[in-house]
Amino acid sequence: MQKRIVFPIALTILFTSVAFAQMGGGSRPSPAASATCDLGGGKTVKTNYSSPRMKGRKIYGDLVPFGEVWRTGANEATTFTPSADVVVGGKTVPAGNYTIFTVPTADKWTLIVNKKTGEWGIPYKYESDELARVDMKVSKLASPVENFTISYEKSGSGCTMHIDWETTRASVDISAK
């Protein structure tokens, strides 16, 4: 009799815990983060992402393979939301909701702006939904960055998006159209 009661209770607790963790409850190893670019005139670009930690691992060329599409963070796909039409690395991106992915290599990165939203981030199977692919500049950071970070730096009439992790910075310019 006890087994008939304990087993359903244990299953309920297990499924509740898994569902809670998948919905973002509790502590996540790669916590949510965001960055915003103020382009002026009430125009903004907001990026929401999950920030994995380096934890002594080799990142680029190992954990994140060179030459393959990467979700650019962890967990859910990274979102990119311009409130107005913008120019990203020379390509027009209309106001709306998008996801971004990258293809890192040792000396050049490609940023992918994708119209598909709401996905987990891997595997990448959204080529038909791509809005743009743009080149990113790659530079070496003076010291390692433990937490994967996306940030915006005001530059001229726009902002430069920086993706920093390990000892690598990938950057692309964004301006209002």
Side-chain angles (χ1 to χ4, degrees):
M1 181 71 172
Q2 278 184 321
K3 286 181 183 178
R4 288 184 185 173
I5 293 172
V6 172
F7 185 70
I9 291 172
L11 278 178
T12 301
I13 291 170
L14 174 67
F15 287 128
T16 302
S17 299
V18 168
F20 184 69
Q22 287 178 344
M23 292 185 329
S27 176
R28 292 177 100 172
S30 300
S34 67
T36 302
C37 167
D38 182 356
L39 296 168
K43 299 173 183 176
T44 62
V45 174
K46 184 169 185 175
T47 304
N48 292 312
Y49 62 99
S50 292
S51 175
R53 307 311 193 225
M54 200 164 57
K55 298 181 193 173
R57 300 176 289 187
K58 167 130 179 65
I59 303 302
Y60 298 113
D62 191 16
L63 180 67
V64 176
F66 285 137
E68 294 182 20
V69 175
W70 177 45
R71 67 175 129 192
T72 314
N75 305 325
E76 300 87 349
T78 296
T79 64
F80 180 78
T81 309
S83 66
D85 294 357
V86 295
V87 177
V88 179
K91 301 240 176 122
T92 300
V93 176
N97 295 311
Y98 304 94
T99 54
I100 56 173
F101 298 86
T102 50
V103 180
T105 68
D107 55 356
K108 181 187 136 194
W109 282 34
T110 302
L111 176 72
I112 302 169
V113 180
N114 198 292
K115 296 178 278 187
K116 177 87 171 128
T117 60
E119 64 279 348
W120 182 246
I122 55 171
Y124 186 74
K125 54 185 179 218
Y126 313 108
E127 289 87 354
S128 64
D129 294 308
E130 289 182 10
L131 178 67
R133 282 188 179 227
V134 298
D135 291 338
M136 300 183 79
K137 297 173 193 150
V138 177
S139 58
K140 199 107 171 123
L141 296 168
S143 59
V145 173
E146 175 68 24
N147 300 349
F148 171 81
T149 305
I150 296 176
S151 63
Y152 289 99
E153 178 182 1
K154 194 73 176 150
S155 60
S157 62
C159 293
T160 300
M161 172 196 278
H162 297 297
I163 298 174
D164 296 345
W165 202 20
E166 196 179 43
T167 56
T168 300
R169 168 173 278 180
S171 304
V172 67
D173 293 330
I174 300 172
S175 60
K177 182 158 171 74

